[in-house]
Amino acid sequence: MTGQRIWLATGSAGLGAVLLALGPLVGVTGAAAPPGFTSWPLLALLSFLPVLLAIGLVRGNRPAAASALLVVLALAGLGRLLADLQLLVDPNLLSRPELLVATGVSQLHAGAGTWLLLAGHVLTIAAGVLAVDPAIERDTSREPRRGLVLLTLLPSVGALGLLFAPYTSDNPYLPGIGALGAPALVSVGSLVITVIVVVCAVVSASNRDAETSQGGLLGAGLVLLALCVPALASALLVPGLHPAAGPVVVLVAAALFLALGATVDHLPDPGLGAARLPAGRGLYVTAGVLGVLAGLLAWLGARLPQVELPATGPSPTPVPPDLSASAATPSTGSLVLAGALVAALACTQFAGAVANTCRPAFAVLCLLVPLAGIGVLDASAESITALNSLYRTSAQSGPGALVIWLAAFLAVAAAVVAAVAGAVERDEVGEQVETAPGAVPVAAVALAGLLAVLAFALPTVSAPDYQAPGLVTNVRLFAFSGLLLGVLTICAAAVLALRSRPARASALLLGAAGVAGLRALDYPFTASGVPGAGAGVGTWLALGCAFVLVLAVFAVRSGGLRSEHRDGLHAHGD
């Protein structure tokens, strides 16, 4: 029965909260490294708060809201479980003053509190599984609140603060590092939590059922609250630590999510409930504005330091001056070029008929910003890891990294809005397009896809004692995601071109060629910082991929791709 299952889920979450509260009290490393302050009352409160709210929602006859809240907690619990597994691998590398503070170089080991924490996360995840109950009644009669979705985007951007330094530090044993420089498990866990919070919030806000929207938004806010408050408390209470911007931004985002969740039933329909996406021209302008902002922020992020070394405070091993000077300047040429291209194409979205012609290429090339930005962030992460592990510094992400993340977010948003503009245009015209691709375009697209996979899998730079990150060898989290994004972008655009009218197909193929071209330019942008560098196989394969895609454009325009526009009155080829 619905009531029994939701109460069982709430009970599992409650038991998980008990274990999450006992873990810090018992000690994650026993007595070897106690917390930097008496943190267990605060952590207990943050653990029990979602459970108490879920109980209140169930008792208030809002089981769908409680279900959504527990599901968000469970999904975020996956990321928190990954991050806390670092306690089993090497607690010395963990910068969590609310759990432990190392006072020397002796190797720490996980204690009983670690196992209580991990068990608490498992029970929270189990609660989310139990909360998924199809028998819960949901009211799906209302229209999706698109205005609420737009409002949710603001705190979603703020959730990116989870990836940045939780504090600044003068203590070499408590480095103030964010996800970019953290150990792999912590880095992946932070990324998982950030993505889950953003996705769950947006999906919840767009849900037709008001209770589900409420529970999802409340859950997103509580997850952010549980992660930023301990960081802020540590910065204020632990000697040698100072507040940083990241947790403050996350706290504001949490407050916004909670406010939206608390008022979702009372938001005025004219302003939010019945808001409609701007049709046609409005979407083009929106995409253009987002693209211009993304391009400008990409340029700014490339100019600002991505890595910062502490201005004060001793480090056990002095950092060589040459390494200190270069640590904050990974190669950013590709990001500057990507930002310039996106900003230039974004301007076409303000120009009437030109906007419609350039829109497909613009949507594809918007992904150049996250593609190039991920490369810069990966280099920054490697610099931070090297500085903190070899020289025991407190190197952390600089302001450039935050700006790059924001630029990537806006670029993806611009691509999505541009794609929606195309869909709205087709719906308003009421057209149906039937394509019949010829053998030449199909062969060209297949060859381009193969070349794209090889171009992103093989290195673009060849040099002694240098191994570039790849899809198969020397796999690194950020670099792998960027390389995979490049491959998927080219392949998706090329395949979609075969199903589009010739003019749209040409724009898509040119956009994909631009992505391949940026991959080829990785060599000249990187070679200057690599002694004895030469062009790798990936460079030539990327050039070949771009060349084949351009040939496919000529094949499409010369009649290799025929389409019929059917609206009941006429049919033509473009």
Side-chain angles (χ1 to χ4, degrees), residues 181-212:
L185 285 170
V186 178
S187 182
V188 174
S190 299
L191 280 172
V192 169
I193 295 171
T194 304
V195 172
I196 282 174
V197 167
V198 172
V199 171
C200 287
V202 174
V203 171
S204 299
S206 62
N207 198 283
R208 291 176 177 269
D209 178 49
E211 286 190 25
T212 301

Side-chain angles (χ1 to χ4, degrees), residues 79-129:
R80 298 185 69 180
L81 177 63
L82 283 174
D84 285 348
L85 284 174
Q86 182 63 36
L87 288 166
L88 297 180
V89 177
D90 189 352
N92 292 75
L93 298 180
L94 200 62
S95 294
R96 296 278 297 278
E98 73 275 16
L99 295 181
L100 72 143
V101 175
T103 56
V105 295
S106 58
Q107 182 61 45
L108 299 176
H109 301 282
T114 295
W115 297 105
L116 293 174
L117 276 181
L118 299 179
H121 292 317
V122 171
L123 285 173
T124 302
I125 296 170
V129 175

Side-chain angles (χ1 to χ4, degrees), residues 251-530:
L251 181 62
V252 173
L256 290 174
F257 277 136
L258 292 173
L260 289 174
T263 59
V264 68
D265 285 335
H266 308 290
L267 294 173
D269 286 342
L272 295 176
R276 295 174 59 88
L277 287 173
R281 180 66 178 162
L283 283 173
Y284 283 110
V285 172
T286 302
V289 171
L290 291 173
V292 170
L293 290 176
L296 292 175
L297 289 176
W299 175 84
L300 180 61
R303 289 290 176 263
L304 293 173
Q306 288 83 42
V307 181
E308 282 190 340
L309 292 170
T312 60
S315 72
T317 306
V319 181
D322 56 343
L323 181 58
S324 176
S326 62
T329 57
S331 176
T332 55
S334 59
L335 181 59
V336 172
L337 178 60
L341 287 174
V342 170
L345 272 177
C347 293
T348 65
Q349 301 303 291
F350 307 120
V354 178
N356 191 30
T357 302
C358 297
R359 178 189 52 77
F362 169 67
V364 174
L365 290 176
C366 276
L367 298 179
L368 288 180
V369 171
L371 177 61
I374 286 173
V376 176
L377 293 173
D378 176 73
S380 302
E382 289 299 300
S383 296
I384 293 172
T385 301
L387 290 170
N388 292 336
S389 61
L390 297 179
Y391 301 99
R392 301 290 293 183
T393 68
S394 298
Q396 59 189 8
S397 302
L402 177 59
V403 175
I404 291 172
W405 276 108
L406 183 57
F409 181 86
L410 293 177
V412 173
V416 171
V417 173
V420 172
V424 169
E425 179 191 15
R426 288 189 293 271
D427 290 342
E428 289 180 346
V429 174
E431 65 181 12
Q432 295 180 354
V433 179
E434 295 180 1
T435 59
V440 174
V442 171
V445 165
L447 179 59
L450 176 61
L451 291 173
V453 173
L454 295 175
F456 282 88
L458 298 175
T460 56
V461 178
S462 175
D465 302 323
Y466 175 77
Q467 187 178 15
L471 288 173
V472 180
T473 59
N474 193 23
V475 177
R476 300 201 303 246
L477 173 66
F478 286 101
F480 178 85
S481 60
L483 296 172
L484 185 61
L485 174 64
V487 172
L488 294 177
T489 298
I490 292 176
C491 293
V495 171
L496 184 60
L498 295 179
R499 301 175 57 84
S500 303
R501 290 175 289 165
R504 306 293 180 263
S506 300
L508 287 168
L509 292 171
L510 287 174
V515 176
L518 184 70
R519 174 63 174 170
L521 290 173
D522 183 61
Y523 163 64
F525 286 133
T526 306
S528 60
V530 180

Side-chain angles (χ1 to χ4, degrees), residues 34-40 42-43 97-99 101 229-231 233-235 237-238:
F37 64 102
T38 306
S39 60
W40 68 265
L42 175 63
L43 298 179
E98 73 275 16
L99 295 181
V101 175
V229 170
S234 298
L237 299 177
V238 178

Side-chain angles (χ1 to χ4, degrees), residues 155-180:
S156 296
V157 174
L160 295 177
L162 291 175
L163 302 176
F164 296 93
Y167 44 76
T168 58
S169 174
D170 300 331
N171 186 340
Y173 299 106
L174 275 178
I177 55 176
L180 296 179

